[in-house]
């Protein structure tokens, strides 16, 4: 029996993910140029840029307002700026910074955030404030804004170094950001409120939202085959269509839980040898539940809505999900 499972599980995983989950490369250093230097002093070639951008490909009623206390805001109290860009770091204690490229440009823009242990690279739209989480915990960060010059070469526009000390460890995982945009998802917030009802127990909320997604959403094989670099989930669209790739599944569950005040991490990494996305949740009783949220009467099962949904929670897949050794986290949003 075990030999059959060993052959069947990889096939089921491959069929479930298809092209929606691919591999990614590492992020090169942005250099250490100081703030005193003028913009465009040097040209940085971001090797492996296509692989970095393909992370998104891999993951690829009455409106209810998001709690005001959880809305990211560029309050202007602490700002690093020049003639091209602004970095608002007024709310570092709440686990995020906001960036606005204010100059006119048609070139591609990037923000790179180097934390104590991990480096993240994001796309940046021009002429609007965009929120970026400080996902790496307390410690020293470097935030760098880049503008494309040609090919994979980018010019450093603005750099900020800061020392982050959060109000609490899960501050970055309660708010909206570029990867989990709940500010522009009133229907997703409304659905989360409907599902949670009067429930106060965070893990009960998790169970209800998990069950809803697993039972009602389908894996979108067409999107998996056609999704392009730079893809980010639009939560209300995912909710309306009730289908998506692993990135969509994880993002909509993360958004719903955060809107209900449940700290939640959108995790990107490897399920076996396949690039994938899943979630971690937090409660006062359990702390961070990194490997499981579904209790089947005997054991907790890993919170991976994609595998559970696409396989109809078959025993072989649920066994694979429940084995933490099959999952290797890489990035957290």
């Amino acid at each position: 029996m075990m030999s059959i499972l060993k052959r069947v599980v990889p096939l089921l995983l491959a069929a479930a993910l298809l092209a929606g989950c691919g591999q990614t490369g590492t992020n090169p250093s942005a250099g250490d140029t100081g703030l005193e230097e003028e913009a465009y002093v040097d040209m940085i070639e971001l090797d492996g840029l296509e692989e970095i951008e393909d992370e998104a490909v891999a993951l690829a009623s009455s409106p209810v307002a998001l709690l005001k206390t959880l809305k990211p805001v560029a309050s202007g109290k602490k700002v690093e700026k020049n003639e091209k860009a602004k970095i608002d770091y007024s709310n570092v204690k709440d686990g995020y910074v906001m960036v606005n490229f204010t100059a006119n440009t048609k070139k591609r823009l990037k923000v790179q955030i180097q934390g104590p242990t991990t480096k993240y690279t994001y796309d940046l739209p021009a002429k609007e404030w965009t929120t970026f989480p400080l996902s790496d915990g307390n410690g020293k960060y470097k935030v760098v804004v880049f503008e494309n010059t040609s090919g994979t070469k980018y010019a450093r526009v603005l750099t900020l170094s800061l020392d982050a000390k959060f109000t609490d460890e899960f501050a970055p995982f309660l708010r909206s950001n570029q990867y989990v945009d709940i500010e522009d998802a009133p229907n997703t917030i409304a659905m989360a409120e409907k599902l949670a009802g009067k429930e106060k127990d965070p893990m009960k909320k998790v169970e209800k939202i998990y069950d809803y997604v697993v039972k009602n959403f389908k894996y979108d094989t067409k999107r998996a085959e056609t999704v392009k670099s730079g893809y980010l989930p639009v939560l209300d669209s995912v909710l309306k269509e009730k289908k998506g790739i692993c990135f969509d599944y994880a993002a909509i569950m993360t958004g719903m839980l955060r809107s209900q005040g449940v700290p939640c991490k959108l995790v990107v990494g490897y399920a076996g040898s396949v690039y994938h996305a899943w979630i971690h949740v937090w409660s006062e009783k359990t702390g961070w539940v990194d490997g499981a949220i579904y209790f089947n009467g005997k054991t907790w099962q890993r919170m991976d809505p994609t595998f559970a949904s696409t396989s109809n929670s078959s025993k072989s897949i649920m066994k694979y999900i429940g084995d933490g050794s099959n999952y290797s986290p890489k990035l957290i949003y």
Side-chain angles (χ1 to χ4, degrees):
M1 183 64 180
M2 288 301 297
S3 61
I4 294 175
L5 287 176
K6 288 180 180 179
R7 293 196 301 270
V8 171
V9 169
L11 292 175
L12 288 172
L13 297 182
L17 295 174
L18 294 176
C21 296
Q23 294 186 350
T24 183
T26 56
N27 222 338
S29 171
D32 297 314
T33 305
L35 289 175
E36 70 279 6
E37 294 184 351
E38 296 179 355
Y40 296 92
V41 168
D42 56 358
M43 302 298 169
I44 308 298
E45 182 154 6
L46 298 183
D47 298 325
L49 180 63
E50 292 305 319
E51 288 86 347
I52 295 168
E53 292 164 356
D54 284 345
E55 283 174 1
V57 175
L59 306 169
S61 64
S62 298
V64 179
L66 181 65
L67 294 174
K68 290 183 179 180
T69 56
L70 301 183
K71 280 188 175 182
V73 58
S75 57
K77 295 179 181 178
K78 295 182 180 179
V79 179
E80 188 69 39
K81 63 181 180 179
N82 59 21
E83 72 280 2
K84 288 186 173 290
K86 296 180 180 180
I87 302 172
D88 189 305
Y89 59 107
S90 306
N91 298 290
V92 168
K93 64 180 177 59
D94 291 324
Y96 68 90
V97 295
M98 299 186 74
V99 180
N100 191 341
F101 196 92
T102 56
N104 293 320
T105 185
K106 293 183 179 180
K107 297 179 180 179
R108 193 164 192 179
L109 306 170
K110 295 281 183 183
V111 169
Q112 197 169 75
I113 298 180
Q114 172 69 64
T117 63
T118 309
K119 184 179 292 183
Y120 293 80
T121 300
Y122 302 92
D123 283 322
L124 174 67
K127 298 287 189 175
E128 63 182 72
W129 285 106
T130 303
T131 307
F132 299 100
L134 302 175
S135 305
D136 221 11
N138 291 330
K140 296 184 182 301
Y141 285 80
K142 179 179 286 186
V143 182
V144 187
V145 181
F146 290 101
E147 184 177 18
N148 184 248
T149 55
S150 63
T152 59
K153 290 186 177 181
Y154 281 73
R156 183 169 30 247
V157 175
L158 183 62
T159 303
L160 169 69
S161 294
L162 57 89
D163 194 355
K165 186 175 182 180
F166 302 153
T167 304
D168 52 64
E169 66 170 297
F170 46 80
F173 310 114
L174 279 170
R175 290 168 174 80
S176 182
N177 61 45
Q178 191 185 56
Y179 276 53
V180 187
D181 186 0
I182 44 179
E183 280 194 275
D184 296 322
N187 295 332
T188 299
I189 296 171
M191 177 57 73
E193 184 168 279
K194 179 180 178 180
L195 292 170
K198 297 181 180 180
E199 186 59 64
K200 301 298 182 183
D201 186 339
M203 296 307 286
K204 290 292 185 180
K205 291 182 179 182
V206 171
E207 182 181 356
K208 290 183 177 183
I209 290 171
Y210 174 78
D211 285 345
Y212 172 77
V213 173
V214 168
K215 292 177 181 178
N216 292 280
F217 284 53
K218 294 182 178 180
Y219 190 78
D220 191 342
T221 55
K222 183 176 180 180
R223 181 175 300 172
E225 294 168 355
T226 59
V227 66
K228 297 180 180 179
S229 294
Y231 174 78
L232 292 173
V234 178
L235 299 189
D236 275 2
S237 295
V238 175
L239 177 67
K240 182 179 180 180
E241 296 172 359
K242 288 186 171 54
K243 60 182 180 181
I245 58 176
C246 55
F247 193 11
D248 297 310
Y249 275 78
I252 196 162
M253 290 200 65
T254 301
M256 284 186 175
L257 290 167
R258 287 184 184 179
S259 74
Q260 282 293 307
V262 180
C264 185
K265 298 177 181 179
L266 191 163
V267 186
V268 177
Y270 289 92
S273 60
V274 181
Y275 212 52
H276 192 46
W278 62 96
I279 73 174
H280 293 171
V281 294
W282 185 92
S283 75
E284 290 186 8
K285 292 181 180 180
T286 60
W288 279 110
V289 183
D290 293 342
I293 62 92
Y294 171 75
F295 191 70
N296 67 0
K298 295 182 179 180
T299 60
W300 286 96
Q301 299 296 329
R302 178 172 291 273
M303 168 55 96
D304 183 335
T306 315
F307 286 177
S309 175
T310 56
S311 65
N312 293 319
S313 299
S314 68
K315 290 184 179 180
S316 58
I317 286 293
M318 294 308 290
K319 182 176 181 179
Y320 184 95
I321 291 172
D323 183 355
S325 65
N326 293 315
Y327 289 75
S328 177
K330 183 175 181 286
L331 299 172
I332 298 172
Y333 299 102

